[in-house]
Amino acid sequence: MKRVIIIFACALWWMNAESQQIPTFSQYAENLLLINPAVAGSEERSIYSLNQRLQWMGMEDAPKTSCFSAQGNLGNSKAPKFLKKIKVGSGKKPSVGLGGFIYNDQNVKLLSQTGAQLAYAYHIPFRGSTKFSMGLALSGMQARIDRTKVISTVPEPILMANKPQTYAIDASVGFLLSNRAYYAGLSTMQVMGSLLSFGSKSYTKVRHYYLVGGYNFDVNASYTICPSALLRTTDQFSTFQTDVSCKVIYMDTFWGGVSYRTNKEIVCFVG
């Protein structure tokens, strides 16, 4: 009984906690598209990524998140006519990028959400490899409650709802300044503040803001050091969460690093 109560309490906390409405990935620097739609196609090549995040390793029914993403650059030919007329001092033509991802976020098996996002980005080149990117994304998601996982002696509106699932559509916007040496981005997710309704209970999807930046230091021909940082907050600016990471790349082939989050989480990664 204690385990069931804990699981139910965790699910209610997820519904009310602003920081948990959007899946969190520790290796954000490896796939910035998940937090900023302006990243779509910014690297001018096709990229496919598969992310898997497991919390509380060894615990049964622990939260887990899976995500698959894809992005690419379509060049200038696919840009709208009014965007093609934009002239830049570099003499290079602006380009269009498309990207998207699908994900499944499962919280202690009681509450889960499945969603997808499609992003459109416009990249304006400047001198050298520097470019400024703007992105817009449309997303949709389904949230579900598995009432078979809960035994409660107290009536709960969420559990008594006729439909244990709900749907929501939302949008995201982002900006990115990048080149081969550095990147800096600002984005807002869940701009529309959609409602998730379970019976008589409704929960607002609050706006999330992301400020991210990183730099690539070429130590020599073999090694590159890449420090980066990510700041998260919501539209109420009541809570802030920061990730500070450092990655070392060898011969553009192998890499490893460590990341620290202000909730005292430490993550090590290799690839």
Side-chain angles (χ1 to χ4, degrees):
M1 176 67 71
K2 183 182 292 186
R3 175 174 172 273
V4 173
I5 294 175
I6 291 175
I7 289 177
F8 184 49
C10 288
L12 290 178
W13 172 78
W14 181 94
M15 295 296 294
N16 290 280
E18 297 171 353
S19 61
Q20 292 298 309
Q21 291 185 355
I22 295 178
T24 300
F25 291 94
S26 301
Q27 299 183 34
Y28 62 90
E30 302 306 316
N31 195 355
L32 291 175
L33 177 65
L34 301 181
I35 61 173
N36 193 330
V39 174
S42 61
E43 297 189 35
E44 300 182 0
R45 58 192 175 99
S46 297
I47 301 176
Y48 304 91
S49 301
L50 180 63
N51 298 77
Q52 179 79 21
R53 182 175 187 261
L54 301 175
Q55 282 185 274
W56 310 338
M57 291 291 291
M59 176 181 174
E60 186 181 357
D61 297 340
K64 61 181 180 181
T65 305
S66 303
C67 179
F68 173 76
S69 65
Q71 59 173 301
N73 192 286
L74 304 182
N76 180 261
S77 60
K78 301 298 181 179
K81 291 183 178 180
F82 75 95
L83 290 177
K84 289 182 179 180
K85 296 179 180 179
I86 296 179
K87 296 181 179 180
V88 293
S90 65
K92 301 177 182 178
K93 294 183 178 181
S95 62
V96 167
L98 287 181
F101 60 85
I102 56 176
Y103 70 91
N104 179 262
D105 186 38
Q106 187 167 286
N107 190 292
V108 289
K109 279 198 172 181
L110 171 62
L111 183 66
S112 62
Q113 60 173 319
T114 300
Q117 176 172 291
L118 180 63
Y120 177 95
Y122 188 70
H123 310 287
I124 302 174
F126 294 99
R127 294 185 182 279
S129 61
T130 302
K131 67 181 66 174
F132 177 71
S133 306
M134 302 172 287
L136 177 65
L138 183 66
S139 61
M141 61 89 70
Q142 177 199 57
R144 301 179 301 279
I145 293 178
D146 189 350
R147 291 179 290 195
T148 63
K149 301 294 182 181
V150 180
I151 301 175
S152 176
T153 58
V154 180
E156 288 290 343
I158 294 179
L159 300 179
M160 298 172 63
N162 294 327
K163 295 182 179 180
Q165 61 187 22
T166 185
Y167 302 86
I169 295 176
D170 222 305
S172 303
V173 295
F175 304 91
L176 180 72
L177 180 67
S178 63
N179 64 19
R180 294 189 181 92
Y182 67 84
Y183 62 87
L186 176 65
S187 59
T188 304
M189 303 187 72
Q190 300 185 165
V191 174
M192 298 168 58
S194 302
L195 290 179
L196 297 177
S197 299
F198 293 93
S200 60
K201 281 285 186 179
S202 296
Y203 303 88
T204 302
K205 298 179 66 179
V206 298
R207 295 185 183 92
H208 285 58
Y209 301 100
Y210 294 82
L211 178 64
V212 64
Y215 198 94
N216 301 325
F217 294 96
D218 293 324
V219 178
N220 52 43
S222 299
Y223 290 94
T224 303
I225 299 178
C226 309
S228 62
L230 170 65
L231 175 66
R232 303 182 185 89
T233 188
T234 64
D235 55 3
Q236 297 180 0
F237 298 101
S238 57
T239 58
F240 292 85
Q241 187 179 70
T242 304
D243 289 28
V244 179
S245 305
C246 186
K247 180 175 66 174
V248 177
I249 304 175
Y250 175 70
M251 298 293 291
D252 288 330
T253 303
F254 304 102
W255 52 266
V258 62
S259 178
Y260 174 77
R261 186 170 295 155
T262 49
N263 60 0
K264 298 183 179 180
E265 287 185 6
I266 297 179
V267 179
C268 298
F269 45 88
V270 295

